[in-house]
């Protein structure tokens, strides 16, 4: 069964990177009403984040983050952070902020949660600081690094920091087209 979930997660990741939204949503729908094995909840919740399905994030992670009884394995920082992103996306900023404040400031998943929270609150100066921190601690070849670069570019455009925009834009666009997904290419050009 693990191979089944792993193959579906890989398929969803590829569809999202290729910006094949209709097909990604079709595949994702197969899992929306399932009780997932604990070891896959975080990964599917992250796919829900990428597909902008905040209520699905909350549905899967609520029992872990807000358990009614003691559970054998407490939620990880990543699980709490993605749960906070789900809260942010439905406008529950205060609750998301409270959850994220209680987590380590140097954890990449926590930083991602804070980036989402500050972006949704239009706090781009804080978002830029957090994105730079995330980029410093990330593998420069990872997909997450490239996403963070594009998000930094968007925040700098909003703040009208044009010199930095030109530097980052050139850096991103100089990357090989094979390493930059169609979705990220489109976001950079936008």
């Amino acid at each position: 069964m693990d191979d089944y979930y792993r193959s579906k997660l890989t398929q969803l990741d590829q569809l999202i990177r290729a910006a094949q939204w209709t097909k990604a949503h079709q595949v994702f729908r197969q899992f929306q009403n399932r009780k997932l094995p604990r070891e896959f909840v975080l990964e599917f919740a992250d796919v829900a984040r990428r597909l902008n399905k905040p209520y699905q994030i909350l549905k899967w992670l609520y029992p872990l983050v807000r358990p009614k009884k003691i559970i054998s394995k407490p939620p990880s920082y990543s699980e709490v952070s993605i749960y906070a992103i789900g809260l942010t996306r439905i406008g529950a900023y205060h609750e998301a902020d409270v959850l994220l404040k209680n987590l380590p400031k140097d954890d990449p998943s926590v930083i991602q949660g804070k980036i989402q929270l500050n972006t949704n609150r239009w706090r781009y100066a804080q978002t830029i600081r957090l994105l730079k921190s995330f980029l410093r601690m990330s593998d420069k070849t990872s997909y997450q690094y490239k996403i963070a670069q594009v998000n930094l570019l968007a925040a700098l455009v909003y703040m009208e920091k044009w010199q930095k925009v030109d530097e980052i834009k050139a850096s991103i666009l100089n990357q090989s087209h094979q390493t930059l997904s169609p979705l990220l290419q489109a976001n950079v050009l936008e």
Side-chain angles (χ1 to χ4, degrees):
M1 192 56 123
D2 286 1
D3 290 342
Y4 171 74
Y5 287 115
R6 181 70 43 223
S7 70
K8 289 299 182 180
L9 285 165
T10 300
Q11 180 185 16
L12 284 161
D13 179 61
Q14 291 168 348
L15 290 168
I16 292 168
R17 287 184 190 208
Q20 294 181 4
W21 302 112
T22 302
K23 181 67 175 161
H25 282 279
Q26 288 171 348
V27 173
F28 184 78
R29 252 183 247 119
Q30 300 170 27
F31 300 95
Q32 286 183 287
N33 294 316
R34 286 193 187 181
K35 180 167 175 33
L36 300 169
R38 170 75 189 258
E39 64 268 22
F40 291 103
V41 170
L42 176 62
E43 291 176 272
F44 275 96
D46 192 47
V47 170
R49 175 193 62 81
R50 294 170 70 192
L51 291 173
N52 197 25
K53 301 259 187 201
Y55 291 102
Q56 191 65 48
I57 295 169
L58 300 176
K59 178 181 176 181
W60 280 328
L61 290 174
Y62 180 82
L64 303 177
V65 177
R66 303 281 192 211
K68 291 182 179 167
K69 53 187 170 188
I70 296 174
I71 54 178
S72 61
K73 183 179 169 192
S76 68
Y77 300 145
S78 296
E79 289 167 335
V80 175
S81 295
I82 295 212
Y83 182 79
I85 289 171
L87 290 170
T88 296
R89 290 197 179 164
I90 65 165
Y93 301 131
H94 178 73
E95 186 179 352
D97 195 30
V98 168
L99 285 172
L100 292 168
K101 280 183 179 174
N102 293 322
L103 300 177
K105 292 176 177 23
D106 60 346
D107 184 275
S109 66
V110 175
I111 293 171
Q112 285 180 310
K114 289 179 179 181
I115 288 167
Q116 183 78 63
L117 179 62
N118 282 296
T119 300
N120 281 35
R121 289 172 138 178
W122 299 87
R123 296 179 177 170
Y124 283 99
Q126 292 97 322
T127 299
I128 290 168
R129 182 181 49 77
L130 290 163
L131 282 163
K132 287 179 178 179
S133 175
F134 182 81
L135 287 166
R136 279 191 300 275
M137 64 177 59
S138 297
D139 173 9
K140 291 182 180 10
T141 62
S142 73
Y143 187 67
Q144 288 75 22
Y145 183 87
K146 292 171 186 169
I147 291 170
Q149 280 185 307
V150 173
N151 289 338
L152 178 59
L153 182 64
L156 290 167
V157 166
Y158 181 83
M159 297 293 291
E160 298 182 3
K161 297 190 181 267
W162 303 117
Q163 184 176 355
K164 277 291 196 191
V165 166
D166 289 339
E167 290 171 23
I168 294 172
K169 179 183 69 176
S171 168
I172 296 171
L173 290 176
N174 285 335
Q175 295 177 29
S176 157
H177 288 295
Q178 293 144 351
T179 63
L180 203 60
S181 74
L183 177 60
L184 289 179
Q185 285 177 1
N187 286 343
V188 171
L189 292 174
E190 181 186 336

